[in-house]
Amino acid sequence: VRDLLAGVRDGTWVVVNAAEYSDLETVACAVLLAEQAGQSFLFRTGPSFVRALSGLEPRAPLRGQELRPAAGRGEHGLIVVGSHVSQTSRQLAALQERGGLTGIELDVPALLNSSGDAVTATARQVAGALRQADVLLYTSRALVQGASKQDSLAISRTVSAALARITGLALAARPAWIIAKGGITSHDVAVAGLGMRRAEVAGQLFDGLISVFRPADAAPDALGMPYVVFPGNVGDDQMLSQAVAILRAA
């Protein structure tokens, strides 16, 4: 692996097919040696590789006090679902079946036909509901596509930006925690919605899965709040519901 990485140049991709932590540790060692020799790498990985690269020992998933929000935050959390993959839709349905939260649907066709009023109105609705219960903000499940790939990408960006904007406006209600479901959704909510520039990685909710961040350089109303990044295709049908239950019990 060390010799392979030594020959990598000019933004070449290297895909690591790891079956266990020992594979990741081998790659991490090779990366560190290559960096000592003057190379630099940009990583796109899951949380398991971060642990291997940092030389951290295994630790139990976060629970209880480790997930408790800072003093002065509200009692209820926000789940933001933008992913449209079938696994997310099943997890969303399972969460809704359990009840105990307020569901607010962002109607995508209405959003695309509005001048921004839909975002402001939805944000007010979310902020108000957060004072009474946990809130599930999700996009309508019928996938809206454009006439071309470029048009479809523009629609996706518009929807993701709207979710981030709604979350940012709803921060005034100081949610106890936020779960963002979907890779693009979690990135846009963190950067555009929460103004996050730097955060502490607190750990994971499950073994090697579902990272929890605490914003350190972000919008004032986001500081001290657990922020959970939940990729779209991760977990079984009940894992989103389990994540919500864990945060509620903190």
Side-chain angles (χ1 to χ4, degrees):
V1 178
R2 178 183 179 182
D3 292 340
L4 184 151
L5 292 181
V8 173
R9 294 288 186 277
D10 303 321
T12 302
W13 284 91
V14 177
V15 179
V16 177
N17 185 14
E20 54 189 28
Y21 268 104
S22 62
D23 296 334
L24 295 177
E25 289 162 356
T26 299
V27 175
C29 180
V31 165
L32 293 173
L33 291 172
E35 288 180 336
Q36 287 177 359
Q39 288 181 267
S40 60
F41 299 92
L42 178 66
F43 303 100
R44 181 175 181 179
T45 75
S48 299
F49 184 69
V50 177
R51 197 195 90 187
L53 189 63
S54 303
L56 298 175
E57 293 295 324
R59 59 170 295 179
L62 300 173
R63 292 293 185 272
Q65 180 69 33
E66 297 172 311
L67 292 166
R68 195 157 296 169
R73 304 207 63 84
E75 297 180 2
H76 305 292
L78 172 63
I79 307 104
V80 182
V81 179
S83 169
H84 270 88
V85 299
S86 57
Q87 183 67 355
T88 290
S89 293
R90 290 194 295 270
Q91 291 171 340
L92 175 61
L95 179 61
Q96 290 172 310
E97 286 177 6
R98 289 201 178 191
L101 46 74
T102 299
I104 298 175
E105 181 181 88
L106 178 63
D107 189 309
V108 172
L111 169 69
L112 298 175
N113 292 324
S114 74
S115 59
D117 293 342
V119 169
T120 303
T122 304
R124 284 199 297 264
Q125 189 178 2
V126 170
L130 275 170
R131 297 182 174 92
Q132 306 297 324
D134 295 335
V135 174
L136 171 63
L137 170 65
Y138 62 99
T139 54
S140 49
R141 293 291 90 190
L143 182 62
V144 179
Q145 294 181 306
S148 65
K149 289 183 178 180
Q150 291 75 15
D151 290 343
S152 294
L153 180 59
I155 290 172
S156 296
R157 286 174 172 168
T158 298
V159 174
S160 187
L163 288 173
R165 178 65 176 156
I166 291 167
T167 303
L169 292 172
L171 276 179
R174 298 183 64 78
W177 43 264
I178 292 179
I179 298 175
K181 190 74 170 71
I184 295 173
T185 299
S186 60
H187 171 272
D188 289 355
V189 167
V191 175
L194 308 183
M196 194 184 300
R197 294 296 178 269
R198 185 170 56 87
E200 173 194 0
V201 182
Q204 284 77 49
L205 286 186
F206 305 95
D207 286 327
L209 297 172
I210 319 300
S211 294
V212 181
F213 296 83
R214 286 191 182 271
D217 181 2
D221 284 337
L223 299 176
M225 175 195 69
Y227 178 66
V228 180
V229 174
F230 201 134
N233 266 324
V234 168
D236 60 21
D237 292 357
Q238 299 299 322
M239 187 169 278
L240 179 59
S241 300
Q242 292 167 356
V244 172
I246 290 167
L247 288 163
R248 282 174 171 170

